[in-house]
Amino acid sequence: MSDEHNQDDRNSRAVSVTPIVLAGGGSERFGPESKSLATVQDQPMIARIVDAVRAATSRTPLVAVGDSEKRSVVDPVLSPPVRYRYDVEWGRGPLAGIAGAIDAVETDAVFVCGCDMPQLDPSAVEWLVDEYASRPAAAIIPATDAGHHPLHAVYDCRALERYCSQQPSDLCLQRLVSELDATVVQDQDAPDRVPLNRSVSNTNTQAELCAVRTRIRD
């Protein structure tokens, strides 16, 4: 075994990860249909994502649904087990869902993602967790030409708790990224077997959904 491999083994740490799927948004650009329920290969997007992150982490996902009304929309399409959490009152947007879920986490880290990533791949999640385990960073965040993807990222639970406990007035996720000791990874950093760029792509419009359906069908 090489010295380099030995060094990698020494630097790795055992990490347990809870997945948090954010499903509390209004989906204004998508139209009247609930984006989380839109189907890809006859499966609602949120169900595909919950299944993928459960497979990647072997943990029960936390689904941040915003409020009880949104829970009643997604609950019929999700197979147990999942745990639901609601947005905190002081926030809005993705950070409100993250803050509402983080106090239910009992693991070292969390994988946070949106409910609009129908191509999310378990191998990409597993690779990001491995990167987190081998680096002294509070977060591992993918980046593409389109920018950072803080909603397809691994975060240190304690660092995220500290940030949310401040109840920041700036709710932009880029502020969260800038304040944490984050490591940014690129698609070219990932092994060939890991489709990172595809996994992080989200679906905001009906046109984007049609493109994803065609791509997966082909």
Side-chain angles (χ1 to χ4, degrees):
M1 188 178 294
S2 69
D3 291 341
E4 181 180 354
H5 193 184
N6 282 326
Q7 187 65 36
D8 287 344
D9 286 345
R10 284 196 300 269
N11 289 341
S12 294
R13 51 198 162 117
V15 172
S16 54
V17 178
T18 297
I20 297 175
V21 179
L22 301 176
S27 309
E28 289 83 2
R29 286 183 286 171
F30 196 75
E33 178 186 5
S34 173
K35 181 165 62 171
S36 62
L37 301 186
T39 58
V40 175
Q41 293 184 316
D42 299 321
Q43 186 179 24
M45 275 201 287
I46 189 170
R48 287 174 63 90
I49 292 161
V50 165
D51 288 349
V53 297
R54 182 189 288 124
T57 64
S58 300
R59 292 271 177 176
T60 299
L62 291 169
V63 182
V65 288
D67 55 32
S68 58
E69 181 178 352
K70 188 63 177 288
R71 173 177 175 171
S72 70
V73 171
V74 302
D75 186 62
V77 305
L78 295 182
S79 301
V82 297
R83 292 189 291 162
Y84 293 103
R85 303 296 292 177
Y86 301 138
D87 287 3
V88 293
E89 293 183 357
W90 54 262
R92 66 180 184 278
L95 190 59
I98 293 171
I102 196 66
D103 65 352
V105 175
E106 298 176 348
T107 53
D108 306 305
V110 293
F111 173 76
V112 179
C113 66
C115 68
D116 58 354
M117 297 177 165
Q119 299 177 93
L120 188 146
D121 194 289
S123 69
V125 179
E126 291 166 0
W127 180 72
L128 290 171
V129 171
D130 288 345
E131 289 296 293
Y132 172 81
S134 64
R135 298 171 183 258
I140 301 291
I141 299 174
T144 65
D145 292 341
H148 292 154
H149 292 269
L151 294 186
H152 187 295
V154 178
Y155 295 91
D156 178 84
C157 190
R158 286 171 296 181
L160 207 50
E161 285 177 330
R162 286 194 296 269
Y163 184 82
C164 292
S165 69
Q166 302 171 23
Q167 300 186 12
S169 57
D170 185 346
L171 301 175
C172 177
L173 288 183
Q174 296 304 326
R175 170 69 180 276
L176 166 65
V177 172
S178 68
E179 296 232 352
L180 294 182
D181 178 21
T183 293
V184 176
V185 294
Q186 310 283 341
D187 183 65
Q188 58 265 30
D189 298 326
D192 291 341
R193 63 178 174 78
V194 175
L196 188 60
N197 268 355
R198 188 176 73 218
S199 188
V200 303
S201 62
N202 60 352
T203 305
N204 291 310
T205 65
Q206 291 284 347
E208 290 173 350
L209 176 63
C210 289
V212 167
R213 286 170 172 164
T214 301
R215 190 178 307 121
I216 292 177
R217 185 169 61 246
D218 293 344

